[in-house]
């Protein structure tokens, strides 16, 4: 899961490659998605996030996020793509914020 500034369109969500050019945007942070053993639900958590609104992006190919190389959906060797997004995710101080993604 990737955390972005607010109002970043899915098509502009990038990986951690520092050579990314506008309109693409680098994530602020990332979090591993884990399977909770008792419920079987997939869960993620970002720690120490300032209260604000954010965009989230989900990928299942994070292994191709190499900060030394730009990989995108057109790369035949190491394709990186954000598959789903959530907009206007509100983080409030001293509260857990929950954002679910639909199961496809």
């Amino acid at each position: 899961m990737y955390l972005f500034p607010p109002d970043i369109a899915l098509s502009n969500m990038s990986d951690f490659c520092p050579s990314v050019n506008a309109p693409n945007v680098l994530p602020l942070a990332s979090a591993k998605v884990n399977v909770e053993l008792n419920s079987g639900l997939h869960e993620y958590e970002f720690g120490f996030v300032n209260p604000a609104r954010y965009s989230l992006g989900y990928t299942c190919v994070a292994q191709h996020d190499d900060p030394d190389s730009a990989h995108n959906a057109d790369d035949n060797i190491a394709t990186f793509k954000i598959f789903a997004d959530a907009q206007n995710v509100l983080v409030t101080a001293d509260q857990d914020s929950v954002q679910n993604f639909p199961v496809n």
Side-chain angles (χ1 to χ4, degrees), residues 27-47:
L28 301 170
S30 65
K32 183 179 178 185
V33 177
N34 296 301
V35 177
E36 204 285 321
L37 295 177
N38 293 325
S39 68
L41 295 175
H42 293 76
E43 298 180 342
Y44 63 94
E45 179 178 354
F46 293 99

Side-chain angles (χ1 to χ4, degrees), residues 45-64:
E45 179 178 354
F46 293 99
F48 306 103
V49 175
N50 289 328
R53 293 194 182 277
Y54 296 93
S55 297
L56 294 175
Y58 172 77
T59 185
C60 56
V61 291
Q63 73 273 18
H64 296 302

Side-chain angles (χ1 to χ4, degrees), residues 5-84:
D7 303 318
I8 303 301
L10 176 65
S11 61
N12 297 121
M13 293 179 174
S14 181
D15 64 2
F16 279 109
C17 181
S19 64
V20 167
N21 295 315
N24 293 331
V25 177
L26 294 171
L28 301 170
S30 65
K32 183 179 178 185
V33 177
N34 296 301
V35 177
E36 204 285 321
L37 295 177
N38 293 325
S39 68
L41 295 175
H42 293 76
E43 298 180 342
Y44 63 94
E45 179 178 354
F46 293 99
F48 306 103
V49 175
N50 289 328
R53 293 194 182 277
Y54 296 93
S55 297
L56 294 175
Y58 172 77
T59 185
C60 56
V61 291
Q63 73 273 18
H64 296 302
D65 186 353
D66 179 357
D68 295 327
S69 301
H71 297 296
N72 58 44
D74 299 325
D75 189 332
N76 293 325
I77 297 170
T79 301
F80 178 84
K81 178 181 179 183
I82 300 286
F83 292 97

